[in-house]
Every structure is written in structure tokens, then in C-alpha cells.
Amino acid sequence: MIIIADSGSTKTDWCLLEGAKAECLRTEGMNPYFQSEEEMAQTLQTQVLPAVTDAKAVEAVYFYGAGCASPSVNEKVVRTIASFFPVTIEVQSDLMAAARALCGRESGIACIMGTGSNSCAYDGKQITAHVPSMGYILGDEGSGSVLGKLLVGDVVKHQLPLSVEEAFYQETGLSESAILEKVYRQPFPNRFLASLVPFLKAHIEEPAVRQLVERSFEAFFVRNIAAYHPEEGSEVHFVGSIAYHFQSQLSRVAEAQGLRIGRILQSPMEGLRHYHTALE
């Protein structure tokens, strides 16, 4: 049996593969950049281990995660997993998960557009170029967190039509003080901001809302993808809920940049399953 994990800040998808049999489950996110080994171990103990009927049958664990971008941070994940499964453990970034899931063993530009955003150029084996995402405060253009941040900023500063502003407060039940509390005093403000994206989706036909989304997508292409110097008409591949649910707007912005949207996956797990089973 091998275990594949795809972990973001919001959730972690797990797949237990044993021959042709696959069992999948979802737990809360495991991000070693924000969480301690004890907190990650708690998730494994209470949410993953009960699904593994025979821990001794596990041969390898492949963990792809947001925040897994340096050897020291990755070692935290290795130690945590090894305390439950003392087997071969490979920890890679969520960006490598996107590249392997979207491109397999072919070269291409792979992007993440979910709670956070990221991108890279990939040669079929390794990431060859990468513009750092820098998180939702300094970067993460086009991500759910940034879209939520832009939405909140435009609502409280009266930059959207009054009908949209009123709908926001009515549909979310939020107030300015509640927003400040969730962003500045409670943990995981990026998750809170990303949780506001369904409002944008529900009101995407409103021109001001569509423009807010498309401006953030444009910033993603200009500040990230342009650095890879793609040729005119090149395909750019995406994984993540934002890319999946806003395909029309993403395609329109890509076309304006002289590019095309290639493969879009809501989750990289299907592509990762194919990648790892093909290795055997």
C-alpha cells in the first residue's frame, strides 16, 4: 500500500492505494509553516490512522503540501509521518504536486489557484523556474484568499455598487467588526478570506464583481506567468478550486495575455494517482 497526501491550508486529501483498490478521505489542512509537529500529529492520529486498517502494509508515503518548500520545514513533516509510518517518506511542495498532476512527464507551465496561488515552469522531471508566491499579504494573486481580501476591502470602502454591498452583509452575516476580528485576531485569516469566494461566484454576473475577479487573474499572469516567457498561444495548466469554478473568467484573461488555458483540475489527486501508479 502507498499513501498519497495533497495538503493545502484548508484541507488535506488522502488516497490509500493498494493495487487497483483506492480509498480516499479528507481531513483538515496540514501546513508545517503554520502548524507544529504536535498539531499535525493530532490530525494523523484522529483523522487518518483510523482509515488505515493495516499500518504494517504501508510501503511508502508521498506527501505534497502547502508550506513544504524547504528542507527544514519538510523534515517536520517527515518526522511527524514517520512516528506513525516508519517507511519511505517523500515530502514535496504542493507546486510539485501540481506539476506532476498536470504535466506528468511532459514539460509545461503548472499553476495552483486555490486558497493560495503559485506557479512554475516544469521540464517533466524538475521545476526549472519559479516565481515565489509570497503569501496572501505580499502576493498570491488570483487566489481565494486574495479575492476575499479584495472583496472585503471594496465592500467596506464602498467601492462596489450599493446592491452588492448590501447583499454581502446580508448573505454573509458579517459586520466590519467581525471582519476585523477574523482577520487580525483569529487563526488562519487566509481561510476566512477564501471562504468568501462563494459570494463572488454567486454574483459573478455583476460587472463590478467580474472585474474584481478578472483584475486579480490579470495580476497573476502579469506578475507570475510572464516571468517564464511563454510563447504566444502557449497553454497554461491549473489546479485548484478557484481555477475550476472561474474557468470562463480565467480563459478570458489568458486570451487577453496571448495564452490559452490547458488542463484544469479541481484537485491534483487524480493526476498524482496516475503519476505514482505509473512508476510501479
Side-chain angles (χ1 to χ4, degrees):
M1 176 192 296
I2 67 170
I3 298 177
I4 304 171
D6 167 51
S7 186
S9 296
T10 305
K11 60 179 175 60
T12 303
D13 288 325
W14 301 82
C15 187
L16 284 57
L17 286 174
E18 189 167 12
K21 182 182 177 182
E23 180 179 354
C24 298
L25 65 145
R26 177 170 291 176
T27 69
E28 63 188 29
M30 286 174 54
N31 189 326
Y33 195 79
F34 294 112
Q35 294 174 289
S36 67
E37 292 180 39
E38 290 74 18
E39 289 171 321
M40 292 189 291
Q42 179 71 11
T43 298
L44 284 167
Q45 177 73 49
T46 61
Q47 301 180 43
V48 178
L49 206 58
V52 182
T53 56
D54 184 5
K56 293 182 179 179
V58 177
E59 300 173 355
V61 178
Y62 301 96
F63 186 96
Y64 299 90
C68 297
S70 70
S72 61
V73 173
N74 291 3
E75 187 57 32
K76 288 175 58 178
V77 181
V78 172
R79 286 195 299 267
T80 303
I81 296 174
S83 66
F84 296 95
F85 306 108
V87 296
T88 299
I89 300 168
E90 180 183 351
V91 176
Q92 296 278 1
S93 68
D94 55 349
L95 193 54
M96 180 62 85
R100 287 177 172 177
L102 292 166
C103 303
R105 291 166 182 77
E106 303 294 327
S107 62
I109 296 175
C111 308
I112 297 170
M113 195 171 275
T115 300
S117 69
N118 213 335
S119 65
C120 69
Y122 175 72
D123 67 1
K125 293 182 179 180
Q126 300 293 331
I127 292 172
T128 57
H130 170 228
V131 177
S133 64
M134 298 302 290
Y136 72 101
I137 294 177
L138 300 177
D140 266 2
E141 298 85 2
S143 70
S145 297
V146 167
L147 289 175
K149 181 174 71 171
L150 294 173
L151 171 62
V152 166
D154 280 1
V155 165
V156 300
K157 292 184 179 293
H158 313 297
Q159 298 299 300
L160 295 172
L162 181 60
S163 60
V164 176
E165 183 179 329
E166 291 176 342
F168 174 84
Y169 287 118
Q170 180 178 359
E171 294 176 26
T172 65
L174 293 167
S175 63
E176 290 182 23
S177 60
I179 292 168
L180 289 171
E181 172 73 18
K182 289 179 178 293
V183 171
Y184 291 107
R185 298 181 65 109
Q186 294 187 10
F188 300 112
N190 57 329
R191 295 183 188 178
F192 161 68
L193 292 169
S195 75
L196 301 176
V197 168
F199 178 87
L200 292 171
K201 180 64 175 177
H203 295 269
I204 196 64
E205 297 305 320
E206 166 64 48
V209 172
R210 187 180 68 251
Q211 290 166 13
L212 180 155
V213 171
E214 292 186 356
R215 282 197 301 270
S216 192
F217 288 170
E218 181 181 1
F220 177 84
F221 280 95
V222 171
R223 295 168 64 84
N224 298 278
I225 305 306
Y228 309 128
H229 307 292
E231 296 180 358
E232 185 80 14
S234 293
E235 286 189 337
V236 183
H237 308 283
F238 284 84
V239 65
S241 57
I242 300 300
Y244 185 83
H245 289 293
F246 293 90
Q247 295 186 37
S248 176
Q249 292 72 37
L250 193 60
S251 294
R252 184 157 45 243
V253 173
E255 184 177 355
Q257 298 294 318
L259 302 170
R260 294 183 296 121
I261 300 300
R263 193 178 187 190
I264 294 181
L265 298 176
Q266 188 170 8
S267 164
M269 187 55 75
E270 179 183 353
L272 289 173
R273 283 175 55 182
H274 177 75
Y275 179 87
H276 283 289
T277 54
L279 290 177
E280 297 184 342

